[in-house]
Amino acid sequence: CRVDAGRDRDELTVCITNFRRPHYLERAIRSSIHAGVKHIVVASMEPDAETLGVVDQFIDFPGLRLTFTSINADLGCNELWLQSVYRAETDRVIVLHDDDCLNTPLGQSYQDVIQPELRHGVGFASWRAQVMYDVGNKRECDYFSGPTRVLPSMEIENFVGRKGRLSLSPIVSVFNRAV
């Protein structure tokens, strides 16, 4: 894996939540590295030896700053999100579940498109995601429709307020951790 992150990606941390799924955790970390991310925080609930082994693989990975924290009780995924974001040292964060991955081109898109908009006062950025099943099938998430554009925050209500629609997952957004 080659970490080729520019200054903009130095301002981003990927926060990964984990609950005893070491294979998924390793895949999520590798996808983040391939996207050029240089800062990762892993928050794990009741970590087992295999999970700790995955973390050990990456703790001294060249060009990567990996922070690990754990909770020895099942307090839910939201608590892991909070613990990981709290430990991030950058202004911007992406929260991933351990079974989520970043697509490699996201790193370049972040540097070329997302980060400049965030610097101009946009509070967060979200994108269209795909659900990929273990058997290889994919389907598009229908959070956003139409061309890529800047929307007022109140538009979120149109995405998550429709009956039968999934909530807007944090895995498809970059957030300002100060907010």
Side-chain angles (χ1 to χ4, degrees), residues 33-177:
I33 291 170
H34 285 297
V37 173
K38 295 177 74 174
H39 301 273
I40 297 174
V41 175
V42 174
S44 185
M45 207 173 321
E46 301 176 347
D48 55 14
E50 291 83 9
T51 298
L52 295 174
V54 169
V55 172
D56 285 344
Q57 282 182 64
F58 295 99
I59 207 75
D60 292 321
F61 193 88
L64 178 69
R65 178 168 170 87
L66 187 136
T67 302
F68 176 76
T69 187
S70 65
I71 300 171
N72 289 321
D74 186 350
L75 300 178
C77 195
N78 288 348
E79 183 62 29
L80 291 179
W81 292 346
L82 293 172
Q83 293 296 324
S84 62
V85 170
Y86 175 77
R87 285 165 177 77
E89 297 176 359
T90 60
D91 293 338
R92 306 282 181 190
V93 296
I94 297 174
V95 179
L96 294 182
H97 304 291
D98 55 11
D99 61 344
D100 298 320
C101 293
L102 293 181
N103 195 358
T104 300
L106 177 68
Q108 195 65 44
S109 296
Y110 180 80
Q111 186 169 312
D112 295 346
V113 179
I114 297 170
Q115 183 65 10
E117 290 299 327
L118 294 173
R119 285 190 177 148
H120 288 111
V122 174
F124 70 96
S126 294
W127 53 85
R128 295 173 184 91
Q130 289 182 332
V131 175
M132 185 172 71
Y133 299 94
D134 288 338
V135 294
N137 299 346
K138 294 180 184 178
R139 75 171 170 83
E140 299 294 321
C141 291
D142 64 347
Y143 298 128
F144 303 100
S145 58
T148 298
R149 63 216 183 271
V150 176
L151 299 170
S153 295
M154 61 191 309
E155 285 292 318
I156 293 174
E157 186 176 350
N158 295 331
F159 302 128
V160 299
R162 291 187 197 149
K163 188 172 183 169
R165 179 170 273 184
L166 297 172
S167 63
L168 186 63
S169 176
I171 68 163
V172 296
S173 300
V174 175
F175 296 99
N176 180 339
R177 57 185 287 269

